[in-house]
Amino acid sequence: MAISIKTPEEIEKMRVAGRLAAEVLEMIAAHVKPGISTGELDRICADYITGEQQAVSACLGYHGFPKSVCISVNEVVCHGIPSDDRLLKDGDIVNIDVTVIKDEYHGDTSKMFIVGKPTILGERLCRITQESLYLALKMVKPGIRLRTLGREIQKFVEANDFSVVREYCGHGIGKGFHEEPQVLHYDADDSGVVLQKGMTFTIEPMVNAGDYRIRSMKDGWTVKTKDRSLSAQYEHTIVVTDNGCEILTLRQEETLPAVLVNEG
């Protein structure tokens, strides 16, 4: 397994790409409200990425994906295709997944938005999913086994009576959209990977309110929960530092311990 260790120059480029990806999510927040279509949200993001940021959407055209961001609503686990026919309504939970390319390097991040007044289940699912991501981020440091992250995410999620999707995972990232290693969010073989300073990868748990099993739609992209239960996901791109990690896609709304943004 060839896992690239990034140079300081590469990490700096990834900081720029990560910041841009985070800014897309910060920008779009004001637009996520009842009555707007996911197609319109995609257009707003696309215009911002290409116009304001002078960057490129990594999703657009990736293996044929037709839109600039993935927007997954309620029971859609991931890879939802934005559509003018899909109007958001009160209580929906929505994941917007953004990957920006700037100067050849990728920044990849996603978060949940709750439309209008939240449901009790929707709010709790989003909160537990985000907390599972933060739990893993706080554990990252050189010398720990990669599988430790997945084991602790799974333990936390299942203790809260939710389930972790098995088929999708985090991934190394840099010049490539998806690099080694695969970052699983449940306890499974990691081929002995030990974290090292300079590794860059995403952590992006997908958590279902019901069973962890999924089903793929005929469009070849959209993935839904098999039992039609709600699903949530949060994602950050990070770099391993001397004593923790730096979150390259940190949003201004987030407040985390200093060790997580230590540049090492």
Side-chain angles (χ1 to χ4, degrees), residues 23-263:
E23 286 174 357
V24 176
L25 292 179
E26 292 169 345
M27 176 279 301
I28 201 62
H31 300 277
V32 181
K33 52 191 176 184
I36 195 168
S37 71
T38 57
E40 180 62 16
L41 292 175
D42 175 74
R43 283 190 289 275
I44 295 168
C45 289
D47 290 346
Y48 188 79
I49 292 167
T50 58
E52 293 292 322
Q53 297 183 333
Q54 299 295 298
V56 175
S57 162
C59 295
L60 184 62
Y62 181 76
H63 293 300
F65 190 79
K67 299 292 182 177
S68 293
V69 297
C70 297
I71 303 182
S72 303
V73 184
N74 293 338
E75 76 280 7
V76 179
V77 176
C78 61
H79 303 158
I81 301 174
S83 167
D84 289 337
D85 295 329
R86 185 57 167 96
L87 303 181
L88 299 184
K89 63 182 188 303
D90 215 38
D92 282 344
I93 63 171
V94 184
N95 178 272
I96 300 181
D97 191 341
V98 177
T99 307
V100 167
I101 305 171
K102 186 74 171 181
D103 293 334
E104 298 186 305
Y105 283 83
H106 291 72
D108 188 3
T109 187
S110 81
K111 67 165 285 189
M112 298 301 297
F113 297 86
I114 298 177
V115 182
K117 184 179 179 181
T119 65
I120 293 173
L121 178 60
E123 187 281 328
R124 182 169 176 269
L125 178 64
C126 292
R127 177 171 52 82
I128 293 300
T129 305
Q130 186 172 40
E131 287 176 5
S132 77
L133 170 60
Y134 288 166
L135 175 74
L137 291 170
K138 291 173 184 175
M139 296 173 61
V140 172
K141 62 181 179 180
I144 75 160
R145 280 283 296 272
L146 180 62
R147 77 179 295 171
T148 309
L149 305 180
R151 183 178 69 226
E152 294 306 312
I153 288 172
Q154 181 180 14
K155 187 187 301 183
F156 176 76
V157 167
E158 292 180 354
N160 283 279
D161 298 320
F162 295 139
S163 64
V164 178
V165 171
R166 306 293 202 266
E167 288 84 354
Y168 295 93
C169 60
H171 50 88
I173 189 169
K175 272 193 173 182
F177 193 166
H178 298 95
E179 301 178 352
E180 295 292 349
Q182 291 191 336
V183 182
L184 303 179
H185 305 114
Y186 62 102
D187 192 20
D189 180 34
D190 61 2
S191 301
V193 174
V194 175
L195 299 188
Q196 300 176 49
K197 180 182 177 181
M199 284 184 177
T200 52
F201 55 86
T202 71
I203 306 175
E204 47 183 298
M206 301 176 190
V207 177
N208 295 346
D211 190 85
Y212 68 84
R213 287 175 290 186
I214 61 171
R215 56 199 174 103
S216 298
M217 301 296 101
K218 291 179 180 179
D219 62 25
W221 286 102
T222 307
V223 176
K224 295 184 178 182
T225 54
K226 192 169 184 179
D227 61 6
R228 296 182 172 81
S229 63
L230 295 177
S231 187
Q233 180 190 23
Y234 284 83
E235 174 183 15
H236 273 310
T237 297
I238 67 169
V239 57
V240 181
T241 61
D242 281 327
N243 59 354
C245 73
E246 179 183 351
I247 303 171
L248 302 175
T249 48
L250 193 70
R251 299 182 302 280
Q252 292 181 359
E253 72 201 45
E254 296 177 286
T255 54
L256 297 171
V259 66
L260 293 180
V261 291
N262 185 343
E263 296 180 9

